[in-house]
Coordinates of all heavy atoms in Angstrom, one line a residue:
E1 N 72.7 16.5 -72.0 CA 72.5 17.0 -73.4 C 72.7 18.5 -73.4 O 73.2 19.1 -74.4 CB 71.1 16.7 -73.8 CG 70.8 15.2 -74.1 CD 69.4 15.0 -74.7 OE1 68.7 16.0 -74.9 OE2 69.0 13.8 -74.8
A2 N 72.3 19.2 -72.3 CA 72.5 20.6 -72.2 C 74.0 21.0 -72.2 O 74.4 21.9 -72.9 CB 71.9 21.2 -70.9
A3 N 74.8 20.1 -71.5 CA 76.3 20.4 -71.5 C 76.9 20.2 -72.9 O 77.7 21.0 -73.3 CB 76.9 19.5 -70.5
I4 N 76.5 19.2 -73.6 CA 76.9 18.9 -75.0 C 76.6 20.1 -75.9 O 77.4 20.6 -76.7 CB 76.5 17.6 -75.5 CG1 77.0 16.4 -74.7 CG2 76.8 17.5 -77.0 CD1 78.5 16.3 -74.9
K5 N 75.4 20.5 -75.7 CA 74.9 21.7 -76.5 C 75.7 22.9 -76.3 O 76.1 23.7 -77.2 CB 73.4 21.9 -76.2 CG 72.8 23.0 -77.1 CD 71.3 23.2 -76.7 CE 70.6 24.2 -77.6 NZ 69.2 24.4 -77.3
T6 N 76.0 23.1 -75.0 CA 76.8 24.3 -74.6 C 78.2 24.2 -75.3 O 78.8 25.2 -75.8 CB 77.0 24.4 -73.1 OG1 75.7 24.7 -72.6 CG2 77.9 25.6 -72.7
L7 N 78.8 23.0 -75.2 CA 80.2 22.8 -75.7 C 80.2 23.0 -77.3 O 81.1 23.6 -77.8 CB 80.7 21.4 -75.3 CG 81.1 21.3 -73.9 CD1 81.3 19.8 -73.5 CD2 82.3 22.1 -73.5
K8 N 79.2 22.4 -77.9 CA 79.1 22.6 -79.4 C 78.9 24.0 -79.8 O 79.5 24.5 -80.8 CB 77.9 21.7 -79.9 CG 78.2 20.2 -79.9 CD 77.1 19.5 -80.6 CE 77.4 18.0 -80.7 NZ 76.3 17.3 -81.4
A9 N 78.2 24.8 -79.0 CA 78.0 26.2 -79.3 C 79.3 27.0 -79.1 O 79.6 27.8 -79.9 CB 76.9 26.8 -78.4
H10 N 80.0 26.5 -78.1 CA 81.3 27.2 -77.9 C 82.3 26.9 -79.1 O 83.0 27.8 -79.6 CB 82.0 26.7 -76.6 CG 83.1 27.5 -76.1 ND1 84.3 27.5 -76.8 CD2 83.2 28.3 -75.0 CE1 85.2 28.3 -76.1 NE2 84.5 28.8 -75.0
I11 N 82.3 25.7 -79.6 CA 83.1 25.4 -80.7 C 82.7 26.1 -82.0 O 83.6 26.5 -82.7 CB 83.1 23.8 -80.9 CG1 83.9 23.2 -79.8 CG2 83.8 23.5 -82.3 CD1 83.8 21.7 -79.8
K12 N 81.5 26.3 -82.2 CA 81.0 27.1 -83.3 C 81.5 28.5 -83.2 O 81.9 29.1 -84.2 CB 79.5 27.1 -83.4 CG 78.9 25.8 -83.9 CD 77.4 25.9 -84.2 CE 76.8 24.6 -84.7 NZ 75.3 24.7 -84.9
T13 N 81.5 29.1 -82.0 CA 82.0 30.4 -81.8 C 83.5 30.4 -82.1 O 84.1 31.4 -82.7 CB 81.7 30.9 -80.4 OG1 80.4 30.7 -80.1 CG2 82.1 32.3 -80.2
E14 N 84.2 29.4 -81.7 CA 85.7 29.3 -81.9 C 85.9 29.3 -83.4 O 86.8 29.9 -83.9 CB 86.2 28.0 -81.3 CG 86.4 27.9 -79.8 CD 87.0 26.6 -79.4 OE1 87.8 26.0 -80.1 OE2 86.7 26.2 -78.3
Q15 N 85.2 28.4 -84.1 CA 85.4 28.3 -85.6 C 85.2 29.6 -86.3 O 86.0 30.0 -87.2 CB 84.4 27.3 -86.1 CG 84.7 25.8 -85.7 CD 83.6 24.9 -86.0 OE1 82.4 25.3 -86.2 NE2 83.9 23.6 -86.1
A16 N 84.2 30.4 -85.9 CA 84.0 31.7 -86.5 C 85.1 32.6 -86.2 O 85.6 33.4 -87.0 CB 82.7 32.3 -85.9
A17 N 85.7 32.6 -85.0 CA 86.8 33.4 -84.6 C 88.1 33.0 -85.4 O 88.8 33.9 -85.7 CB 87.0 33.3 -83.1
V18 N 88.2 31.7 -85.6 CA 89.4 31.3 -86.3 C 89.4 31.8 -87.7 O 90.4 32.2 -88.3 CB 89.5 29.7 -86.3 CG1 90.5 29.2 -87.4 CG2 89.8 29.2 -84.9
K19 N 88.2 31.9 -88.3 CA 88.1 32.4 -89.7 C 88.2 34.0 -89.7 O 88.4 34.5 -90.8 CB 86.7 32.0 -90.3 CG 86.6 30.5 -90.5 CD 85.2 30.2 -91.0 CE 85.1 28.6 -91.2 NZ 83.7 28.3 -91.7
G20 N 88.0 34.6 -88.6 CA 88.1 36.0 -88.5 C 89.5 36.6 -88.4 O 90.5 35.8 -88.4
T21 N 89.6 37.8 -88.0 CA 90.9 38.5 -87.9 C 91.2 39.0 -86.5 O 92.3 39.5 -86.3 CB 91.0 39.7 -88.9 OG1 89.9 40.6 -88.5 CG2 90.8 39.3 -90.3
D22 N 90.3 38.7 -85.6 CA 90.5 39.2 -84.2 C 91.4 38.1 -83.5 O 90.8 37.1 -82.9 CB 89.2 39.4 -83.5 CG 89.4 40.1 -82.2 OD1 90.5 40.0 -81.5 OD2 88.4 40.8 -81.7
V23 N 92.7 38.2 -83.4 CA 93.5 37.3 -82.8 C 93.2 37.2 -81.3 O 93.3 36.1 -80.7 CB 95.0 37.6 -83.0 CG1 95.9 36.6 -82.3 CG2 95.3 37.6 -84.5
G24 N 93.0 38.3 -80.7 CA 92.6 38.3 -79.3 C 91.4 37.5 -78.9 O 91.5 36.7 -78.0
L25 N 90.4 37.6 -79.7 CA 89.2 36.9 -79.4 C 89.4 35.4 -79.7 O 88.9 34.6 -78.9 CB 88.0 37.4 -80.4 CG 86.7 36.6 -80.3 CD1 86.1 36.7 -78.9 CD2 85.7 37.1 -81.3
R26 N 90.1 35.1 -80.7 CA 90.4 33.7 -81.1 C 91.2 33.0 -79.9 O 90.9 31.9 -79.5 CB 91.3 33.7 -82.3 CG 91.6 32.3 -82.8 CD 92.3 32.4 -84.1 NE 93.7 32.9 -84.0 CZ 94.4 33.4 -85.0 NH1 93.8 33.6 -86.2 NH2 95.6 33.8 -84.8
S27 N 92.3 33.8 -79.4 CA 93.0 33.2 -78.3 C 92.2 33.0 -77.1 O 92.3 32.0 -76.4 CB 94.2 34.3 -78.0 OG 94.9 33.9 -76.8
Y28 N 91.4 34.0 -76.7 CA 90.5 33.9 -75.6 C 89.6 32.7 -75.7 O 89.4 31.9 -74.7 CB 89.7 35.1 -75.4 CG 88.7 35.1 -74.2 CD1 89.2 35.3 -72.9 CD2 87.4 34.7 -74.4 CE1 88.3 35.2 -71.8 CE2 86.5 34.6 -73.3 CZ 87.0 34.9 -72.1 OH 86.1 34.7 -71.0
L29 N 88.9 32.5 -76.8 CA 87.9 31.4 -76.9 C 88.6 30.0 -76.9 O 88.1 29.1 -76.3 CB 87.2 31.6 -78.2 CG 86.1 32.7 -78.2 CD1 85.6 32.9 -79.7 CD2 85.0 32.5 -77.3
L30 N 89.8 29.9 -77.5 CA 90.4 28.6 -77.5 C 90.9 28.2 -76.1 O 90.9 27.1 -75.7 CB 91.6 28.7 -78.5 CG 91.3 28.7 -80.0 CD1 92.5 29.0 -80.8 CD2 90.6 27.4 -80.4
G31 N 91.3 29.2 -75.3 CA 91.7 28.9 -73.9 C 90.4 28.7 -73.1 O 90.4 27.8 -72.2
D32 N 89.4 29.5 -73.3 CA 88.2 29.4 -72.5 C 87.5 28.0 -72.7 O 86.7 27.6 -71.9 CB 87.2 30.5 -72.9 CG 86.1 30.6 -71.9 OD1 86.3 30.7 -70.7 OD2 84.9 30.5 -72.4
F33 N 87.7 27.4 -73.8 CA 87.1 26.0 -74.1 C 87.3 25.1 -72.9 O 86.4 24.4 -72.4 CB 87.6 25.4 -75.3 CG 87.3 23.9 -75.5 CD1 86.0 23.6 -75.9 CD2 88.2 22.9 -75.1 CE1 85.6 22.2 -76.0 CE2 87.8 21.6 -75.2 CZ 86.5 21.2 -75.7
H34 N 88.6 25.1 -72.4 CA 88.9 24.2 -71.3 C 88.2 24.5 -70.0 O 87.9 23.6 -69.2 CB 90.4 24.2 -71.1 CG 91.1 23.7 -72.4 ND1 91.5 22.3 -72.5 CD2 91.5 24.3 -73.5 CE1 92.1 22.1 -73.7 NE2 92.0 23.3 -74.3
V35 N 88.0 25.8 -69.8 CA 87.2 26.3 -68.6 C 85.8 25.8 -68.8 O 85.2 25.3 -67.8 CB 87.4 27.8 -68.4 CG1 86.6 28.2 -67.2 CG2 88.8 28.2 -68.3
C36 N 85.3 26.1 -70.0 CA 83.9 25.7 -70.2 C 83.7 24.2 -70.1 O 82.6 23.7 -69.6 CB 83.5 26.1 -71.7 SG 81.8 25.8 -72.2
L37 N 84.6 23.4 -70.6 CA 84.6 22.0 -70.4 C 84.5 21.5 -69.0 O 83.6 20.7 -68.6 CB 85.8 21.3 -71.1 CG 85.9 19.8 -71.0 CD1 84.7 19.1 -71.7 CD2 87.2 19.3 -71.6

């Protein structure tokens, strides 16, 4: 459950970055998802 919670939190951060204007942060988070997984 802790792992699922961590992954869901990561995706929420991704979603916020996608709506934002910081392309660098968005790119980093989308790539980092796979490392986090």
Side-chain angles (χ1 to χ4, degrees):
E1 292 184 8
I4 294 295
K5 185 177 180 180
T6 298
L7 288 169
K8 286 185 173 181
H10 194 291
I11 290 173
K12 284 186 178 180
T13 307
E14 285 182 32
Q15 292 170 337
V18 167
K19 294 178 182 178
T21 58
D22 189 337
V23 176
L25 177 62
R26 183 175 72 198
S27 173
Y28 176 83
L29 289 171
L30 289 170
D32 189 59
F33 168 81
H34 296 264
V35 180
C36 181
L37 177 61

